[in-house]
């Protein structure tokens, strides 16, 4: 990859896409292109073709996707499969038609079976049933990686896929209904602390910056209290989802971006297997920290960082999702990349970012 190679980052305003853009810029890449969702709807095949006809990128990163936490995945099941299949079909398809030299597809570790052997190696793919709460999304992501692998095997392309663990970082989604657990907990603890301290200035400021269901800081106290109750934010306690027993692994989004650029710069499809080694020639690499924590432990850690001292309860009537999801990162480590930001420091950094944005 030369520094003036034309690189298209689909989803360059998202959590990971924006971090990949920043990482490439910091490494001296000068010819980056991106389009917002408003400028180019990747579900529109005609417009995606017109974009590729005009731009002819040499490298493509597919970081655009319809993304969300457990509740969003379980609720908008049709959107998760339909939109993700559409986006990746259009972007990977046009990349192929336009002779893109290298493509990086971002999947997710939810592609692996619900009861996969832990830590989960790349070879666990398609070895058992998926977790039902995110099955439509996982099937779309599996299709994306198989699309890459199949183009590689049939047409000799150089498409790679990376499977990140749960991510968090600057620009995260803090919407309490659709977000992932870490940003959701951070915001809930911030609001629960303010409520416990009767600090309405903090609550109103937060809602002004990020309205919840259209409720802003100008709403009446009763309306806000009603909204908070529905979100489990109570004057003396915070009620979180599930049992608190599931185990997750978290990776700072800028580490994820660095790993993605590392794969783009250093790993080709031919490096992911040895001739004759196996009949299966998957092109995916796990990206994670290899460090796990229970959701209950995560809640304690975030409470400590935010300074929330109230009771933390779990509501077992809400879904837990996969009970354990720890990636085996030995392939990534052996290729030469390791994460740098530990969870403790990452939460502090994200909270500082949250308070200032
Ligand atoms: N966040 C996480 O914890 C994890 C993420 N991943 C994967 O990493 C990748 C990036 O995720 P992340 O950065 O978190 O997601 P974000 O939601 O932050 O970013 C996704 C981006 O894609 C854009 N996008 C979505 N639909 C369209 C469309 N139809 N046309 C054009 N642009 C579109 C979004 O724009 P807009 O918001 O305007 O719609 C947004 O900028 C995804 O493939 C995701 O599956 C994998 C594992 C964990
Ligand atoms: C990245 C990954 O992300 C999703 O899978 P997930 O890890 O199950 O999602 P999550 O981050 O939303 O939850 C993790 C755990 O945390 C618990 N939990 C507690 N309290 C809150 C809470 O307040 N909000 C949320 N969101 N979760 C909570 C929740 O019940 C669950 O046990 C899929 O998109 C999947 O497809 C995917 O790829």
């Amino acid at each position: 990859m030369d520094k003036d190679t034309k690189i298209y980052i689909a989803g360059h305003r998202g959590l990971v896409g924006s971090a990949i853009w920043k990482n490439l810029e910091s490494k001296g890449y000068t010819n980056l292109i991106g389009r917002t969702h408003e400028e180019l709807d990747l579900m529109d095949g005609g417009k995606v073709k017109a974009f590729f006809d005009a731009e002819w990128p040499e490298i493509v990163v597919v970081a655009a996707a319809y993304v969300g936490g457990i509740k969003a995945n379980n609720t908008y099941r049709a959107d998760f499969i339909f939109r993700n299949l559409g986006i990746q079909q259009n972007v990977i398809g046009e990349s192929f038609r336009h002779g893109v030299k290298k493509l990086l597809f971002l999947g997710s570790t939810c592609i692996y079976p619900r009861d996969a052997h832990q830590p989960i190696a790349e070879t666990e793919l398609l070895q058992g049933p998926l977790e039902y709460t995110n099955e439509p999304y996982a099937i779309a992501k599996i299709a994306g990686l198989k699309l890459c692998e199949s183009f590689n095997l049939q047409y000799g392309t150089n498409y790679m896929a990376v499977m990140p663990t749960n991510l968090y970082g600057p620009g995260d989604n803090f919407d309490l209904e659709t977000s992932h657990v870490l940003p959701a907990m951070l915001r809930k603890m911030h609001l629960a602390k303010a409520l416990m301290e009767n600090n309405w200035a903090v609550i109103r400021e937060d809602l002004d910056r990020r309205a919840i269901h259209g409720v802003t800081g100008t709403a009446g106290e009763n309306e806000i209290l009603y909204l908070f109750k529905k979100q489990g934010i109570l004057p003396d306690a915070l009620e979180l989802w599930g049992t608190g027993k599931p185990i997750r692994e978290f990776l700072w989004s800028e580490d994820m971006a660095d790993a993605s650029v590392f794969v783009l710069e250093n790993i080709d499809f031919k490096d992911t297997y040895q001739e004759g080694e196996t009949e299966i020639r998957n092109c995916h690499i796990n990206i994670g920290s290899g460090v796990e924590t229970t959701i209950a432990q995560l809640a304690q850690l975030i409470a400590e960082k935010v300074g929330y001292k109230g009771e933390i309860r779990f509501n077992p009537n809400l879904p837990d999702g996969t009970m354990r999801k720890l990636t085996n990162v030995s392939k990534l480590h052996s290729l030469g990349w390791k994460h740098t930001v530990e969870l403790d420091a990452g939460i502090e950094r994200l909270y500082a970012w949250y308070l200032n944005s």
Side-chain angles (χ1 to χ4, degrees), residues 11 13-17 37-38 40-43 63-65 67 87 106-108 137 141 164-167 180:
R13 291 275 184 87
L15 171 69
V16 183
H37 194 156
E38 291 69 34
L40 175 62
D41 182 355
L42 297 171
M43 290 285 288
V67 180
I87 292 169
L106 273 69
S108 164
Y137 173 73
K141 292 293 185 184
T165 188
N166 292 40
L167 306 169
H180 290 98

Side-chain angles (χ1 to χ4, degrees), residues 220-275:
E221 277 190 18
N222 283 342
E223 192 181 354
I224 294 176
L225 287 172
Y226 178 70
L227 174 82
F228 278 14
K229 195 172 169 199
K230 283 210 304 196
Q231 295 294 342
I233 305 166
L234 309 168
D236 57 346
L238 177 61
E239 193 172 279
L240 298 167
W241 303 352
T243 60
K245 291 180 186 160
I247 297 173
R248 294 289 183 274
E249 172 197 14
F250 296 93
L251 186 71
W252 182 244
S253 59
E254 292 170 345
D255 269 347
M256 169 60 197
D258 196 62
S260 302
V261 173
F262 174 83
V263 172
L264 266 183
E265 288 184 325
N266 300 295
I267 318 295
D268 290 329
F269 175 57
K270 65 177 170 42
D271 303 324
T272 62
Y273 66 92
Q274 291 184 338
E275 259 337 303

Side-chain angles (χ1 to χ4, degrees), residues 334-355:
S334 70
L335 291 167
W337 188 91
K338 193 176 180 307
H339 75 284
T340 59
V341 180
E342 300 300 342
L343 184 59
D344 191 86
I347 293 171
E348 280 176 19
R349 278 164 77 167
L350 185 60
Y351 192 43
W353 181 89
Y354 180 77
L355 294 177

